Amino acid sequence: MEEKIYKTMRGTGAANIIIGVIALVVGTATGILLIISGAKLLARKSNLLF
């Protein structure tokens, strides 16, 4: 019975690590894209009309 509990805990831990790594990669990529698009807006600030 205890072995089954440890296998479940191991699977849950592995899933949490995988989800954490994916969230880290997606967050980093999103941040980089936001910085690039903001820099483009700042560079073209004089061309924008409101």
Side-chain angles (χ1 to χ4, degrees), residues 13-31:
N16 285 338
I17 290 173
I18 291 170
I19 291 170
V21 169
I22 290 171
L24 183 68
V25 169
V26 168
T28 303
T30 304

Side-chain angles (χ1 to χ4, degrees), residues 3 5-6 8-13 20 22-23 25-26 28-30 33-36 38 40-43 46 49-50:
E3 184 178 334
I5 294 170
Y6 285 120
T8 302
M9 289 173 61
R10 183 181 66 201
T12 303
I22 290 171
V25 169
V26 168
T28 303
T30 304
L33 289 174
L34 286 171
I35 290 171
I36 290 171
K40 285 182 181 180
L41 280 174
L42 286 173
S46 62
L49 296 174
F50 289 102

